[in-house]
Amino acid sequence: MSELNIGVLGIQGAYEKHALSIALAGANAEIIKYREQLDQIDGLILPGGESTTMSKMMGFRIDYKDILAFAEKKPVFGTCAGLILLGKGIDDPRIHQFELMDVSVARNAYGSQKDSFIDNLTLVFDKENPFHAVFIRAPQIENIGDDICVLATCNNTPVLIESNLYLGASFHPELTPDLRIHKYFIQKIMEVKNGKTPKSA
Ligand code: GLN
C-alpha cells in the first residue's frame, strides 16, 4: 500500500487528523495547499470544517476547476463539510458545490456544536464491529440519486455513501482510532489505480 499518495485538502478545517489516519492506515499522506500538488496524489480527501469558508478560500492557491479536473479520474472522499461540497442543490450562494455526487444535504440539521454526538454505525463492508461515528454540526443527507450506494445509516438516514469515484460521510471518521473507513478509501484508490471500474449501485 505504501506507494499510494493520498492528499488532504488543507485550505481550512480538520485536515491534520485525516493525514494521520491515512498514514496509520498505510499510505503516504500529503496536505494539499497548492494546485501543483494534485499531480502527485492518487486520491483526495475534502475534510470537515466549514463549507462556507472553504468555498470562500477556494480560488487562491487551488481552484474548483483544478479539483474537478482531478476528480474526473481519481477518487475523492468528502467528510462533513467536504460531503456538502461533493453534493448538489444547496440553496446558499456562499457555498460552491462540485456536484460530483447526486446527493442533497441540509447543513447543520443535527443541531449546533453542543448537539454533537457519537453513534454506533454498522458498515455494510464490515458488519462485525460497530463504527463509533462522531457527528459535529453535521449535514443531514436528504435525497440521494439511484447511483448512490449506502454504506451506513444512522436512524435510517444514510450517513456514509459511495458512487463512482466518490465517497461521502456526514461524520468525522478521522476523529476515532478505527481506520476501517480510511482503509476502504485506500482500497478504492488502489482499485482505480489498477484500472478496475469503480463501484456504483
Ligand atoms: N456545519 C459545517 C458546514 O456547514 C460542517 C461541520 C463539519 O464539517 N463538522 O460546513
Side-chain angles (χ1 to χ4, degrees):
M1 262 186 197
S2 59
E3 76 276 16
L4 284 184
N5 296 319
I6 302 180
V8 187
L9 189 66
I11 290 183
Q12 188 269 340
Y15 50 85
E16 297 280 0
K17 282 240 161 39
H18 265 302
L20 187 61
S21 298
I22 287 295
L24 289 171
N28 300 321
E30 197 180 335
I31 307 285
I32 305 296
K33 290 184 187 279
Y34 301 94
R35 57 177 64 85
E36 295 74 21
Q37 292 175 280
L38 291 170
D39 299 337
Q40 291 139 33
I41 56 171
D42 303 297
L44 177 68
I45 293 178
L46 307 177
E50 180 52 51
S51 52
T52 50
T53 311
M54 284 186 213
S55 295
K56 205 156 128 187
M57 305 286 284
M58 207 89 69
F60 292 104
R61 295 171 181 159
I62 196 157
D63 202 3
Y64 274 88
K65 62 177 180 352
D66 303 316
I67 292 176
L68 275 178
F70 177 89
E72 267 177 39
K73 294 205 174 77
K74 293 183 178 169
V76 180
F77 179 18
T79 63
C80 208
L83 167 67
I84 298 172
L85 297 183
L86 275 185
K88 62 186 211 180
I90 211 140
D91 189 15
D92 186 332
R94 296 170 303 166
I95 298 174
H96 190 157
Q97 293 179 295
F98 292 112
E99 303 185 345
L100 290 167
M101 292 187 97
D102 190 4
V103 56
S104 65
V105 302
R107 291 178 63 226
N108 304 321
Y110 292 100
S112 66
Q113 192 83 11
K114 67 176 174 26
D115 303 308
S116 300
F117 64 99
I118 297 178
D119 193 46
N120 292 328
L121 310 180
T122 302
L123 304 174
V124 297
F125 53 87
D126 185 358
K127 296 188 173 139
E128 195 84 12
N129 298 306
F131 187 93
H132 305 300
V134 181
F135 291 79
I136 305 168
R137 293 189 305 116
Q140 191 161 55
I141 291 179
E142 291 191 317
N143 294 298
I144 54 172
D146 293 340
D147 68 332
I148 301 269
C149 284
V150 176
L151 303 180
T153 59
C154 169
N155 295 326
N156 297 321
T157 299
V159 290
L160 181 63
I161 57 174
E162 178 172 18
S163 72
N164 192 11
L165 291 168
Y166 317 115
L167 195 60
S170 46
F171 54 93
H172 283 260
E174 80 285 7
L175 293 184
T176 44
D178 191 332
L179 298 172
R180 280 179 291 167
I181 296 176
H182 287 87
K183 286 185 173 165
Y184 185 84
F185 185 51
I186 292 172
Q187 183 67 32
K188 183 175 176 71
I189 295 170
M190 179 88 85
E191 287 172 7
V192 170
K193 202 171 176 178
N194 291 336
K196 209 175 146 194
T197 312
K199 174 159 112 197
S200 263

